[in-house]
Amino acid sequence: MPRRELRPDQVWLIGVPLNLLLAIPCAFPVALGMFGLQILAGELGLAEAEAAGEADVKILFGLVAFLLAGLVVFGLNALFAFRAPQLKAGPYWLAVALLIIVPDVLYWTVIR
């Protein structure tokens, strides 16, 4: 049985709510990634540096969590995004990244 092809508007209708829901479990990997970037900026002298004793371990945990969350998000979106041959991939994957990262960054910096 051949795989069912989707129209681009169907992919957007599935993708936007899915990625907004995926932003909830991705909040902690995004926070760890932000923390790792803050440590790196402190090491480079671009921001106020924190205690550098365990900075390598924190950066490693942040990058691993960010990578695993990215793989989960990519895998779930790829299940249906690749079934739409007419879908413009660039704007869709940019929207995926923004729908995951922007709500999480707003939560950790403004709302919380």
Side-chain angles (χ1 to χ4, degrees):
M1 186 168 149
R3 289 176 28 165
R4 180 175 176 231
E5 286 190 2
L6 298 173
R7 295 188 319 268
D9 60 336
Q10 291 174 322
V11 174
W12 282 98
L13 284 174
I14 297 169
V16 171
L18 172 73
N19 289 303
L20 286 174
L21 287 174
L22 283 174
I24 296 168
C26 288
F28 289 106
V30 168
L32 288 173
M34 288 171 45
F35 187 64
L37 289 174
Q38 182 182 10
I39 291 173
L40 284 175
E43 294 286 330
L44 295 173
L46 301 173
E48 186 175 323
E50 293 192 19
E54 298 177 357
D56 296 336
V57 174
K58 292 177 184 176
I59 291 172
L60 180 66
F61 281 144
L63 292 177
V64 168
F66 204 71
L67 177 70
L68 290 176
L71 288 173
V72 168
V73 168
F74 175 77
L76 288 174
N77 278 284
L79 287 175
F80 58 87
F82 293 139
R83 291 185 183 191
Q86 297 88 14
L87 179 69
K88 293 187 182 354
Y92 178 74
W93 289 106
L94 177 65
V96 166
L98 291 176
L99 285 169
I100 297 291
I101 293 175
V102 169
D104 292 338
V105 169
L106 287 175
Y107 173 74
W108 289 113
T109 58
V110 177
I111 298 171
R112 191 165 182 258

